[in-house]
Amino acid sequence: MSRPNARGRSRLRDLPLLGWLAAAAVVAIAHRWLPDANWLMLHMVLLGALTHSIIVWSFHFAQTLLRSPASPRDARWQTTRLGLVTGGAAAVLVGVPTDWWLLTLAGGLAVATAAGWHGLVLWRMLRKALPARFQVTVRYYLWAAASLVLGAGLGVTLAWGWPDPWHGRLLVAHALANVLGWVGLTLTGTLLTLWPTMLRTRLDPTAERWTRQALPVLTSAIAVAVGGALVGIGLIAGLGVLAYLSGLLLWGRGLWHPLRKSPPREFGPASVAVGLLWMVFGLTWAGWLLATAPDWQVVREGFIWPAAVLGAGFGVQVLTGALSYMLPSVLGGGPSVVRAGQAWFNRAGAFRLIAINGGLVLWLMPTPSWVKVTGSLLALFAAASFLPLMVLGVRASVAARKLLVASRDGAEAAPAQPRPDQVDRPSIFTAGQLIAGLTALATAVVIGVGVDPAAAGATGTAAAAVAVQPTGEVVRVEVTAIGMRYTPSEVHLNAGDRLVVDLINGDTTTHDLVIGSARSARIGPGARTELDAGVIGTSTKGYCSVAGHRQMGMTFEVIVDNAPAAGPAASPTPGTDPHQMEHSPNGPDASTSPTTPDVVDPVLAPLSDDREHHLTLTVQETPLEVAPGVWQRRWTYNGASVGPTLHGRIGDIFVITLVNDGSMGHSIDFHAGALAPDKPMRTIEPGERLTYRFTATKAGIWMYHCSTMPMSAHIAAGMTGAVVIEPEGLPQVDRSYLLVQSEVYLQNRAPDAASAAEVDVDAAAGGEPSYVVFNGVANGYDTQPLTARVGERVRFWVLDAGPNRPSSFHIVGAQFDTVLSEGSYLLKHGRDPFGDRGGAQALGLQPAQGGFVETVFPEAGRYPMVTHVMADAERGAHGYVQVSP
């Protein structure tokens, strides 16, 4: 049986911790391909690794402080509690992402039971113990256990699925109870004695008094913060968080004297100190958000950022720092054995601290997206290096202890070992490590800028220059982008002057400025950058290169006063000016189309039993094949030519997380839900996210799409999909297919991904497409037809996503006996609403309309399916249904 309080190794103490941290690292690496990855990472650290460690170490410290060693029976019960908390956390981490609420309930009850049981054991130990110093630490543990019971209950309630504002209120109350109470109180109680021990100095004589005085302040602040969240008053919740910070400052007075006397020289205390700073920063951020947010939806969407700070900055670093000191110490064996283990934990300590915290800062700052990626990867690998160091450190301690025992057995008397505080320990903060850490950060920035220099602010120069003698004069002008305009909208200078533009984004979406081939960074709202346009020889016109913004009026006149104008616009970089790109309204002849490999599976998946549907839609701007051998740079939800299909019933709840990994502002609008569009349909900038929650109240096939202007361009570029809400009592059929008709507007006919250009904004506004397609690919179902058998009933759901062209869905050789259009039956099994017999030949739809038709194919053969707007069928809205006997 494992003895968590005993010196030496313990499988139940060490292995679950190692497993949780390793799992969190794996999820962090694979987060782009995992649903709810951010939630999983946060809870693997806080609910998994940190909660497990608190159960282990608070029991150990309580035994030590109260001088109450555990009996074998106590050790067995502690093992059971560890099993409960580990199994419960695992159940929660499976149940929440999969919407298995009963599994989540079971896991939450297991965690709450373990916490309550843990608190009861500590309370009994406290009652039986003789008066002793530092008993206040155990009182902190009791309040912490009560907080986890409350937090687990709120978490299980939250997982049931609540509409706003209750969802946001429960989320905040759950987070505050766990972070402020369970984690925060355990930490503050433990550091009373652990902090000076880690610094290898004496305790501040006043520290215990400050810790006693802080306890009622901290517990009252938790009650105010959680209560304010539950009653829906964000200001009260925010004031509770700020009151908690004041309690931390009161408690922290006892930490200052040891810190000033003996600054951190090892990784453990340095990591804990930095983690405490992140805790203060994260709580300040959370308190400000709660006090100033206009509603709970804004709080819920914004809370992910302070939560990430508290998880990655505070939780991970305090945990790894404390374990770096405690694991070698608890393994025991004397000072030399402890030093052997801690030497591994201190390896590259300063480098790791710089990489972790610098990478986190790069991720939090308004840096370009690829700098965020490289910075976060640097932080991740530096933090994950703790795992092999932990294993090597434990092995080194065990080996050193065996060697010491062997030497004692072979000699009459082993030499006396100095006490730990008598050993001169070298500092981890060497010049080499500091330089290496800063170099790693600089490298992460350089790589991020190198991947996407335009987004990072690397500018071109001298594109507008002609053969002109430079005057040596520099004309610097400050230009503000606001309201889809540049202010001022022009600048005057002389031929040969050098132009430098200080660009400020005062708008609500991303902008840039292109003058000739000189291009500024794309900057988000509130940001600024500099564009060096070089020596100007003739008049020219600049513009915003974000698709559609130029057409909406974002142009900037550069006027040379002493030279004639060169024309309405300078020639931009080849491939960037939509007016110079090839545009043909006609697609290739369908009869000569080669096989297109990547068509969307048109099968509509059957309904599940879920009544709440969670989906993450990640905006990705990526080249895709829109016709055989023709590529376009598409703007997509989740990287496919048409967005994922949502399928449900009336009354189902849909919770959609939109993540913008693109290079410009994007948004989403679900026609299937009725709600005020102001906030859920707002445009979010690159790197931002929002949660869109709606309830399906009416049946039909509904469109969703990006509603960022110009909307025609965003829809035509691929940012659309379908939501199928089945009518009550809809009969089952043998096969069910979904076809989304849309239009493609090409700037060029790129033969490969490398030369693919974005949507032709002018053509989209004019409504003359290059292709009209089913599910994003012209003629895609010609060579990969839909299938059916004779006598089967087949249902075809059809959505006209537009943005401009109508649809008249028709299958050559078939007649429809059931037609539903815009939620209403026009024909049902050969009867119209008046009971008369009839049939239908086409389903007519305008843009954003949808419905379905059903047919039974009478004999085997190859049935063409088209839009009977024949010009559009010839543009690619064409395919086949292959019917076998």
Side-chain angles (χ1 to χ4, degrees):
M1 183 61 63
S2 186
R3 295 279 301 276
N5 60 309
R7 290 187 178 273
R9 288 176 293 178
S10 168
R11 290 189 298 273
L12 284 171
R13 182 190 64 204
D14 303 332
L15 293 183
L17 169 67
L18 194 65
W20 285 123
L21 292 177
V26 170
V27 171
I29 294 172
H31 74 280
R32 288 182 176 272
W33 301 278
L34 295 176
D36 300 313
N38 291 330
W39 182 92
L40 282 171
M41 284 187 287
L42 190 63
H43 283 76
M44 283 176 174
V45 171
L46 297 180
L47 178 60
L50 206 51
T51 294
H52 175 86
S53 296
I54 288 174
I55 294 287
V56 170
W57 295 105
S58 59
F59 184 65
H60 170 77
F61 275 100
Q63 290 175 338
T64 303
L65 295 173
L66 299 177
R67 298 181 177 88
S68 177
S71 66
R73 179 174 178 271
D74 294 333
R76 288 195 297 271
W77 286 125
Q78 171 73 342
T79 298
T80 304
R81 288 191 292 275
L82 290 175
L84 266 178
V85 78
T86 301
V92 170
L93 290 172
V94 173
V96 171
T98 58
D99 293 325
W100 293 351
W101 189 78
L102 289 178
L103 183 60
T104 304
L105 174 63
L109 288 175
V111 172
T113 300
W117 187 3
H118 175 71
L120 181 61
V121 169
L122 297 182
W123 177 72
R124 287 177 175 172
M125 291 169 58
L126 185 62
R127 286 192 62 191
K128 293 178 181 179
L130 295 174
R133 293 186 69 190
F134 312 126
Q135 287 187 350
V136 67
T137 292
V138 183
R139 299 188 187 280
Y140 271 77
Y141 295 162
L142 296 178
W143 283 105
S147 298
L148 181 56
V149 173
L150 174 62
L154 290 171
V156 170
T157 305
L158 176 66
W160 176 259
W162 294 79
D164 281 322
W166 270 107
H167 188 270
R169 289 156 65 173
L170 287 168
L171 172 66
V172 171
H174 163 71
L176 293 178
N178 288 327
V179 173
L180 303 185
W182 175 237
V183 179
L185 290 179
T186 301
L187 175 69
T188 49
T190 302
L191 287 183
L192 167 64
T193 54
L194 182 63
W195 178 246
T197 306
M198 295 178 73
L199 294 175
R200 307 185 189 283
T201 187
R202 294 184 180 277
L203 175 74
D204 185 347
T206 65
E208 186 176 9
R209 183 174 81 243
W210 298 126
T211 303
R212 289 183 183 277
Q213 292 178 0
L215 181 57
V217 177
L218 295 172
T219 53
S220 300
I222 294 170
V224 171
V226 174
L230 290 176
V231 300
I233 305 177
L235 180 60
I236 292 179
L239 291 175
V241 174
L242 296 178
Y244 189 90
L245 285 170
S246 69
L248 286 180
L249 292 176
L250 178 64
W251 160 81
R253 296 180 65 175
L255 274 61
W256 174 246
H257 178 73
L259 178 64
R260 186 176 59 180
K261 185 177 179 181
S262 178
R265 298 170 60 84
E266 298 176 275
F267 176 79
S271 183
V272 170
V274 175
L276 289 175
L277 293 177
W278 279 114
M279 180 186 187
V280 172
F281 176 69
L283 291 180
T284 303
W285 191 346
W288 177 257
L289 175 65
L290 288 166
T292 59
D295 56 46
W296 286 97
Q297 181 174 339
V298 173
V299 171
R300 176 164 57 83
E301 294 171 2
F303 212 73
I304 183 64
W305 297 105
V309 167
L310 292 170
F314 164 60
V316 170
Q317 294 198 92
V318 166
L319 176 63
T320 55
L323 290 175
S324 295
Y325 174 82
M326 291 190 297
L327 279 177
S329 300
V330 172
L331 286 170
S336 64
V337 176
V338 172
R339 289 196 301 273
Q342 285 180 338
W344 279 101
F345 286 100
N346 287 329
R347 290 287 178 95
F351 172 84
R352 287 187 284 145
L353 287 172
I354 294 172
I356 292 170
N357 293 282
L360 184 55
V361 168
L362 290 177
W363 182 70
L364 290 171
M365 289 177 62
T367 52
S369 60
W370 273 103
V371 174
K372 290 180 183 291
V373 170
T374 54
S376 60
L377 285 175
L378 175 65
L380 171 63
F381 287 115
S385 66
F386 173 80
L387 299 177
L389 291 175
M390 173 181 167
V391 174
L392 292 171
V394 170
R395 292 180 61 184
S397 290
V398 173
R401 186 171 57 187
K402 290 180 178 178
L403 183 62
L404 183 62
V405 170
S407 67
R408 285 174 176 171
D409 291 342
E412 294 183 358
Q417 298 188 54
R419 297 199 316 268
D421 58 358
Q422 295 176 332
V423 177
D424 184 19
R425 295 173 181 265
S427 174
I428 63 170
F429 297 103
T430 63
Q433 287 204 41
L434 295 176
I435 293 172
L438 294 174
T439 301
L441 280 179
T443 303
V445 174
V446 169
I447 293 174
V449 172
V451 172
D452 189 5
T459 59
T461 59
V466 296
V468 62
Q469 184 68 31
T471 64
E473 296 293 327
V474 177
V475 176
R476 182 177 289 272
V477 61
E478 185 176 275
V479 176
T480 301
I482 188 167
M484 289 294 173
R485 295 291 186 273
Y486 293 116
T487 304
S489 61
E490 62 182 34
V491 62
H492 291 259
L493 70 170
N494 293 319
D497 288 352
R498 179 182 178 187
L499 175 62
V500 178
V501 179
D502 293 319
L503 180 64
I504 302 171
N505 189 352
D507 217 334
T508 58
T509 190
T510 299
H511 294 299
D512 64 7
L513 176 61
V514 177
I515 300 177
S517 62
R519 180 186 299 268
S520 79
R522 284 190 176 179
I523 55 175
R528 64 188 303 154
T529 189
E530 180 182 284
L531 170 66
D532 184 350
V535 175
I536 305 298
T538 186
S539 297
T540 186
K541 181 181 290 187
Y543 62 94
C544 179
S545 71
V546 176
H549 290 195
R550 179 180 187 175
Q551 288 75 10
M552 297 176 70
M554 292 202 72
T555 58
F556 180 74
E557 296 283 352
V558 180
I559 301 172
V560 176
D561 291 326
N562 60 351
S571 299
T573 304
T576 61
D577 188 348
H579 296 286
Q580 294 185 338
M581 297 300 167
E582 177 189 358
H583 172 72
S584 171
N586 297 317
D589 187 345
S591 63
T592 63
S593 298
T595 298
T596 303
D598 296 323
V599 296
V600 171
D601 184 359
V603 175
L604 179 64
L607 280 173
S608 70
D609 294 331
D610 297 334
R611 301 310 305 269
E612 182 166 311
H613 309 267
H614 292 257
L615 177 66
T616 297
L617 295 178
T618 301
V619 175
Q620 298 173 333
E621 298 166 8
T622 184
L624 292 174
E625 203 168 5
V626 295
V630 180
W631 291 74
Q632 184 181 44
R633 186 168 182 81
R634 303 286 282 172
W635 308 340
T636 72
Y637 295 119
N638 291 3
S641 55
V642 66
T645 300
L646 302 176
H647 193 189
R649 307 173 179 83
I650 294 174
D652 282 7
I653 298 171
F654 294 85
V655 182
I656 311 299
T657 300
L658 177 66
V659 180
N660 189 352
D661 277 355
S663 64
M664 66 190 80
H666 292 292
S667 60
I668 196 163
D669 170 11
F670 282 93
H671 294 189
L675 72 172
D678 308 62
K679 293 172 183 173
M681 301 181 197
R682 70 182 185 274
T683 296
I684 61 173
E685 297 308 305
E688 295 182 349
R689 63 173 54 214
L690 63 77
T691 300
Y692 192 126
R693 186 184 184 93
F694 68 90
T695 301
T697 59
K698 295 178 174 63
I701 177 170
W702 305 86
M703 178 180 177
Y704 69 85
H705 62 91
C706 180
S707 57
T708 299
M709 296 301 289
M711 207 177 301
S712 58
H714 284 253
I715 294 173
M719 302 198 73
T720 186
V723 182
V724 176
I725 305 300
E726 292 194 359
E728 295 180 358
L730 182 67
Q732 290 188 350
V733 292
D734 297 297
R735 299 175 190 262
S736 188
Y737 293 108
L738 171 65
L739 299 171
V740 178
Q741 179 179 312
S742 60
E743 301 138 36
V744 175
Y745 298 86
L746 296 175
Q747 288 192 37
N748 63 349
R749 297 196 178 280
D752 52 43
S755 57
E758 293 180 326
V759 60
D760 187 331
V761 178
D762 290 331
E768 284 297 319
S770 305
Y771 297 102
V772 179
V773 298
F774 288 141
N775 290 343
V777 179
N779 304 301
Y781 299 116
D782 283 10
T783 53
Q784 299 184 46
L786 285 59
T787 60
R789 291 183 177 276
V790 172
E792 288 184 335
R793 176 164 289 275
V794 186
R795 180 179 294 141
F796 297 86
W797 292 87
V798 184
L799 172 69
D800 183 0
N804 302 313
R805 307 287 295 179
S807 176
S808 178
F809 182 73
H810 171 71
I811 298 180
V812 179
Q815 294 179 326
F816 306 135
D817 62 8
T818 299
V819 179
L820 181 139
S821 178
E822 284 295 280
S824 177
Y825 280 100
L826 305 181
L827 195 65
K828 192 170 186 179
H829 288 181
R831 299 280 185 178
D832 65 18
F834 302 101
D836 295 331
R837 295 183 62 84
Q841 56 198 314
L843 173 62
L845 302 170
Q846 291 294 322
Q849 290 187 333
F852 70 73
V853 293
E854 294 178 10
T855 190
V856 176
F857 292 97
E859 55 188 36
R862 190 173 174 89
Y863 293 74
M865 60 179 188
V866 299
T867 174
H868 223 283
V869 180
M870 294 312 300
D872 290 345
E874 293 164 0
R875 288 183 170 111
H878 185 284
Y880 290 99
V881 182
Q882 184 67 51
V883 179
S884 57

